Amino acid sequence: MIYRVLNIFLLFAAVWAATAQADPVQISGVAELRYGQHRAKEGGTTVLDSGHFIQKYSILVEKSGLFSKGKLGTYDLALGYEWNSLEATRDNNVTVTVNNPLDKILYKGDLLIAPGGLPFRMHAFSYDLTPTTFIEEDFSIIFRDRSNFSPDGGTVVDFESSKNAITGLSLVAGLKNGDYSGRYRDLLTSMPRLLIDYRQLDVEDTDSLTARNYTDRDLAFVSLNKRDNWFHYRVFTHEDYLDPTQNLEEQTFLLGNINHTNRREWVNMTNWIQVSTDLSYSEIKPHVTTSEQKRYDLNLFSRAARRTWQASNYTTFSRVRDDSSLEKYIDAPFFANGELSKDTSWRYQLQFKQSETDRYLGNLIGQERRGNFYTFLKLETFRQSRQIVSPSLELSVKTGTEGQGRALRVGAELFSNPSYRAPYSTFLKYDVAVFDGKTELDQLVNYFEQTVEIRLDKDLSADARIGFAETLIHGSGEFATDVSDSLRARADGLVDPATNSSGNLFYSRTTAFFDHRSVRQVGNRFELDYQYLSQDGRTSQNVELTHNLTYFGRLWNVRIDNYVFSGTRIASSGVLNTQYDFEAGHESFIEYHPSRQVSTSVRTAYDYYRAKNGGSIDKLYLVQKYEYSFWKNSGLSRKLFNLGEELEYAKYSDLLSTLIDDYVTFSLFGNYYPTRSSLFGARLRYEIDNVAQADTVAFHLLAELDLAKFKLSFNYSYGIRSEGVVLADRTEHRWEAKVKKIF
């Protein structure tokens, strides 16, 4: 039925278009050819023979215009045809099966009826302008560099030539679409707001390797039955013709403050209180099982704002039922903040979460319960003085079958007021926390923790700054992570989360830094970091020294990072890293560009790891680049050609001093631009692999012409690899020609 309606409307638009104000008919087309081959031999034996030949032709006729000079609406029509052919062979001369020709009809019909002054709007459309795309696969070994990048693409082995049709009808009534002063004005202005929207997606691609054939239908009926109260009825169906087990149908009924565009609306109860609510019921019917999922959702939102405070609440309730389970969930967060005076502000948070899950297998076989209550209050006092005092209180209560307990943290902060431009800034924090309860495995938890944080920064001058930071954590008792969901112990990242901790825990971290930035944009930062951890009679410590240098100028860009580390790393994913006891590293990037003709850069990286049980790891990486460009300055300035070279060296050995990587790569490249739309390029890469004891030479050529309506390109690559320890000698050559004409 919906297709008949759409066909009538589109036919009506085509007839009316003959007399309506219209733009001239536009005719466009594309003709494209691609031909390429890729062959390889190892030890004189052909191991790769792949290639492709692609033909692609399309034509499209378009016409658009206005109804009654735009007073009644617009239309946009298009009709075309696409013809494709693919002949391809992939690895080992295996033919790619294609049901040629790959052709399809391209079409578009878009009709908008929007009479000016009337509360009515209708939009009907149906289109499929998706072109055929081709999928490439790279079979090269020699042409890929160490980052697995191949400059010339690959062999076409698959395609996507699917029917991808989108059809829809949207009708909106009751809109304010201008002014109407006729005899039916009172009747039209009293019409209820109504939306009927239907969309259908048809996808059919049964010839490619990833076959698809399905239909998605989405129907929505939305009505405004009161001033801010909307009623929604939505139906979504997914019908898969290749795999019926994926079929799905979903129905949703919704009543509340969600408008026809699925955006939430707020209702003003007073000039400072707003509410927004909605209730929905959904039924999901999957084909794979006989189980139907029934879901209820209720949202109760509110917010209020006065001159000295504001608050908001976002309560959500959900109930989901199917044959195997019943889930109920409620989340009621509340947020508020304000000012008691100009000198005191406050912030409050309250959150209540509870979930219940009953599992069935005929009868009730299991229950899961989880509840969480969390509240937080923080004050900021003496805000107009140089030092601000901020006390805080946190409380968390957890219940249910996955652990239960109580957690309390009380603390205070003293820090410098950022409104004052003092030569130094301070931060002091002290808090105590108590955790009590039992885990999911009924292990008792009784943990007490104290934390002290101190930070002091001071400006020595306009260019230099020093700082000091100290963190102390002391904990005692039985500790586990699953007695509280909202409140976490500071020791959470210091112990193994898979096990419990008992006894005493003491952690100290001391940091000092010196930061200097000169007027010449040279920045230096030195930082010393010392960590100490004592837990259950075991101690570990480490010290790390880092240095960072930066410079960003007109000619030079420099960044250098160095570090030296000694000891055992702490809090590495919650587990102590005891494999190495000494590390050192360096990374730098130096770029020099004295003019737009010359650009050169050097990137280096070195890492050293010494294992406690003997042995070490060395990683060295170096990349150097240089490029020279010649610009044509007569007339419009443009680049005429550029030449460059690139040197890459890497060496990596493991704990047994076995070489994992040891290679040198040297590349030369050049590009010539006879015109703004043409390019001739060449690249030569020579690689020495000391691990495989093999040398590789790869050569690439590129010719390209890129005009607005004509594109032509040719790529050619040739490579040789010598025989190595475990590698046979290999020869590869690949080429591809492309031509594309746009009419």
Side-chain angles (χ1 to χ4, degrees):
M1 180 64 183
I2 189 68
Y3 281 108
R4 291 184 179 179
V5 174
L6 287 178
N7 290 333
I8 292 174
F9 277 122
L10 295 178
L11 179 61
F12 174 71
V15 174
W16 200 345
T19 58
Q21 181 181 354
D23 296 331
V25 175
Q26 296 181 353
I27 301 178
S28 61
V30 176
E32 183 178 357
L33 297 175
R34 292 179 60 182
Y35 186 28
Q37 286 187 342
H38 186 186
R39 293 189 176 96
K41 290 185 177 182
E42 288 189 357
T45 303
T46 300
V47 294
L48 174 66
D49 188 358
S50 64
H52 59 260
F53 177 59
I54 299 172
Q55 302 178 69
K56 185 174 183 179
Y57 309 97
S58 66
I59 186 172
L60 186 68
V61 181
E62 297 180 88
K63 182 180 178 62
S64 60
L66 307 175
F67 293 132
S68 297
K69 298 181 180 181
K71 296 180 181 179
L72 292 180
T74 63
Y75 69 90
D76 189 0
L77 305 174
L79 181 63
Y81 177 72
E82 182 186 66
W83 187 93
N84 302 275
S85 175
L86 171 63
E87 298 176 7
T89 56
R90 54 179 299 129
D91 194 9
N92 294 327
N93 203 20
V94 177
T95 303
V96 178
T97 303
V98 179
N99 186 20
N100 285 314
L102 307 171
D103 59 340
K104 63 181 297 186
I105 300 295
L106 306 175
Y107 64 92
K108 177 183 179 181
D110 194 296
L111 172 65
L112 175 62
I113 302 296
L118 297 181
F120 172 82
R121 182 185 181 95
M122 188 194 72
H123 184 206
F125 55 90
S126 180
Y127 58 90
D128 182 5
L129 298 175
T130 306
T132 299
T133 58
F134 297 95
I135 302 173
E136 299 179 356
E137 186 173 349
D138 189 6
F139 301 112
S140 66
I141 296 178
I142 294 178
F143 301 142
R144 295 185 188 180
D145 59 15
R146 289 287 174 164
S147 61
N148 209 30
F149 170 74
S150 181
D152 299 332
T155 303
V156 175
V157 296
D158 197 11
F159 61 92
E160 290 184 359
S161 179
S162 63
K163 172 187 176 183
N164 199 340
I166 299 177
T167 305
L169 174 66
S170 179
L171 175 65
V172 183
L175 291 175
K176 292 183 179 180
N177 189 22
D179 297 322
Y180 173 73
S181 56
R183 70 171 64 179
Y184 302 107
R185 175 181 179 180
D186 294 338
L187 175 63
L188 293 176
T189 55
S190 62
M191 288 181 59
R193 189 77 59 85
L194 178 66
L195 167 69
I196 300 176
D197 186 81
Y198 175 79
R199 294 175 185 268
Q200 178 171 317
L201 171 64
D202 293 292
V203 176
E204 183 179 355
D205 185 10
T206 57
D207 294 329
S208 66
L209 296 179
T210 56
R212 298 173 299 162
N213 190 4
Y214 65 88
T215 298
D216 287 343
R217 300 181 180 89
D218 200 343
L219 173 65
F221 175 84
V222 184
S223 174
L224 179 63
N225 56 350
K226 294 258 178 160
R227 179 179 177 182
D228 298 293
N229 198 21
W230 295 81
F231 172 74
H232 297 243
Y233 172 68
R234 298 180 181 272
V235 179
F236 172 79
T237 60
H238 174 78
E239 187 174 0
D240 196 317
Y241 304 105
L242 300 179
D243 185 6
T245 61
Q246 300 297 320
N247 292 354
L248 178 72
E249 180 181 347
E250 180 178 353
Q251 296 187 61
T252 301
F253 300 86
L254 186 145
L255 182 65
N257 303 126
I258 306 295
N259 66 16
H260 61 290
T261 62
N262 266 339
R263 294 185 177 180
R264 180 169 298 279
E265 293 184 343
W266 292 86
V267 180
N268 294 318
M269 304 298 294
T270 67
N271 61 349
W272 58 280
I273 298 178
Q274 291 181 316
V275 298
S276 181
T277 63
D278 63 272
L279 173 65
S280 65
Y281 169 72
S282 302
E283 285 187 359
I284 302 176
K285 302 176 182 178
H287 179 80
V288 67
T289 62
T290 58
S291 173
E292 293 185 4
Q293 185 184 91
K294 298 180 179 180
R295 181 186 181 102
Y296 297 88
D297 291 281
L298 174 63
N299 296 314
L300 301 172
F301 297 168
S302 63
R303 59 190 185 189
R306 300 290 283 178
R307 185 177 60 86
T308 59
W309 61 271
Q310 58 184 3
S312 57
N313 167 58
Y314 305 96
T315 300
T316 299
F317 171 77
S318 299
R319 184 182 187 274
V320 182
R321 182 73 166 95
D322 57 29
D323 288 348
S324 60
S325 65
L326 171 62
E327 300 179 13
K328 291 182 286 185
Y329 175 79
I330 185 171
D331 184 6
F334 176 77
F335 308 94
N337 62 82
E339 293 182 348
L340 298 177
S341 64
K342 292 184 178 180
D343 212 34
T344 305
S345 66
W346 57 274
R347 181 161 53 96
Y348 179 70
Q349 176 183 349
L350 174 67
Q351 188 159 16
F352 173 74
K353 292 182 180 181
Q354 184 170 337
S355 63
E356 299 180 0
T357 303
D358 297 335
R359 305 200 178 277
Y360 299 90
L361 190 61
N363 299 320
L364 181 65
I365 60 173
Q367 291 182 324
E368 299 175 6
R369 301 290 185 265
R370 187 165 186 166
N372 181 44
F373 172 82
Y374 173 76
T375 184
F376 170 78
L377 176 62
K378 187 173 185 178
L379 301 176
E380 281 193 4
T381 60
F382 306 105
R383 294 194 304 161
Q384 295 183 341
S385 63
R386 291 185 175 273
Q387 299 292 327
I388 297 177
V389 179
S390 179
S392 61
L393 171 68
E394 290 181 272
L395 174 64
S396 174
V397 178
K398 179 180 179 180
T399 59
T401 58
E402 299 179 2
Q404 51 187 314
R406 297 164 297 277
L408 173 68
R409 175 175 285 128
V410 180
E413 299 175 358
L414 175 66
F415 55 92
S416 300
N417 192 336
S419 301
Y420 291 87
R421 300 186 61 181
Y424 62 90
S425 63
T426 60
F427 178 86
L428 175 63
K429 179 180 180 180
Y430 174 75
D431 63 52
V432 295
V434 179
F435 296 83
D436 178 70
K438 62 179 180 179
T439 67
E440 185 177 1
L441 301 177
D442 289 335
Q443 296 175 327
L444 295 179
V445 176
N446 187 3
Y447 179 72
F448 178 76
E449 184 180 73
Q450 303 180 75
T451 304
V452 176
E453 292 185 30
I454 303 173
R455 292 199 299 267
L456 174 63
D457 298 349
K458 179 176 176 56
D459 291 328
L460 299 179
S461 64
D463 304 326
R465 187 175 182 86
I466 62 172
F468 168 81
E470 177 68 35
T471 300
L472 300 173
I473 300 176
H474 180 266
S476 60
E478 300 288 336
F479 170 74
T481 59
D482 51 356
V483 296
S484 175
D485 289 338
S486 303
L487 194 58
R488 293 293 184 181
R490 310 291 187 194
D492 242 7
L494 302 175
V495 298
D496 189 347
T499 60
N500 291 352
S501 173
S502 60
N504 292 327
L505 178 144
F506 177 75
Y507 172 76
S508 170
R509 182 170 188 174
T510 306
T511 304
F513 74 87
F514 171 74
D515 201 346
H516 179 267
R517 179 168 294 277
S518 69
V519 293
R520 295 186 177 182
Q521 301 301 315
V522 177
N524 276 284
R525 181 182 176 91
F526 296 88
E527 183 172 312
L528 179 65
D529 183 84
Y530 173 75
Q531 296 186 69
Y532 174 82
L533 175 64
S534 175
Q535 174 194 348
D536 300 338
R538 305 188 309 269
T539 62
S540 58
Q541 56 185 332
N542 64 62
V543 60
E544 183 175 14
L545 175 64
T546 60
H547 168 244
N548 309 104
L549 183 146
T550 57
Y551 171 74
F552 300 101
R554 187 176 63 88
L555 304 179
W556 292 86
N557 290 328
V558 179
R559 179 173 181 86
I560 300 176
D561 300 318
N562 302 291
Y563 81 95
V564 177
F565 177 88
S566 178
T568 302
R569 288 202 177 272
I570 299 174
S572 176
S573 302
V575 183
L576 301 183
N577 186 349
T578 59
Q579 185 176 7
Y580 309 115
D581 60 0
F582 181 80
E583 302 175 20
H586 164 84
E587 184 175 355
S588 63
F589 176 75
I590 303 174
E591 184 180 24
Y592 176 60
H593 42 86
S595 64
R596 68 173 182 172
Q597 286 86 9
V598 178
S599 175
T600 182
S601 65
V602 177
R603 183 186 300 274
T604 59
Y606 175 74
D607 292 292
Y608 173 79
Y609 303 90
R610 186 182 67 192
K612 290 183 177 180
N613 299 327
S616 62
I617 294 177
D618 286 280
K619 295 182 180 181
L620 176 62
Y621 182 72
L622 169 67
V623 177
Q624 177 268 327
K625 296 180 181 180
Y626 175 84
E627 182 176 343
Y628 176 81
S629 303
F630 180 81
W631 294 74
K632 180 181 179 182
N633 296 320
S634 59
L636 237 82
S637 178
R638 66 179 182 85
K639 185 183 292 187
L640 186 60
F641 67 84
N642 68 314
L643 300 172
E645 59 85 17
E646 180 177 335
L647 175 66
E648 180 180 358
Y649 173 70
K651 188 175 183 179
Y652 170 39
S653 61
D654 61 10
L655 288 175
L656 301 177
S657 299
T658 303
L659 282 176
I660 305 300
D661 258 333
D662 185 6
Y663 66 89
V664 179
T665 301
F666 181 72
S667 302
L668 293 174
F669 62 89
N671 297 299
Y672 173 57
Y673 307 89
T675 65
R676 288 183 174 274
S677 305
S678 58
L679 163 67
F680 293 96
R683 184 180 184 90
L684 174 66
R685 178 172 62 90
Y686 177 63
E687 179 179 300
I688 303 174
D689 191 337
N690 294 320
V691 176
Q693 296 184 12
D695 299 342
T696 302
V697 179
F699 181 65
H700 307 274
L701 285 176
L702 168 65
E704 187 175 285
L705 178 64
D706 189 359
L707 300 174
K709 293 190 176 182
F710 182 75
K711 304 179 187 301
L712 177 66
S713 66
F714 178 77
N715 295 278
Y716 180 81
S717 300
Y718 183 80
I720 301 175
R721 184 188 66 195
S722 64
E723 184 178 358
V725 178
V726 294
L727 299 176
D729 62 291
R730 182 180 177 96
T731 302
E732 284 189 40
H733 72 271
R734 177 173 62 191
W735 63 270
E736 183 182 39
K738 302 179 185 178
V739 58
K740 182 177 182 181
K741 180 66 175 75
I742 301 175
F743 302 94

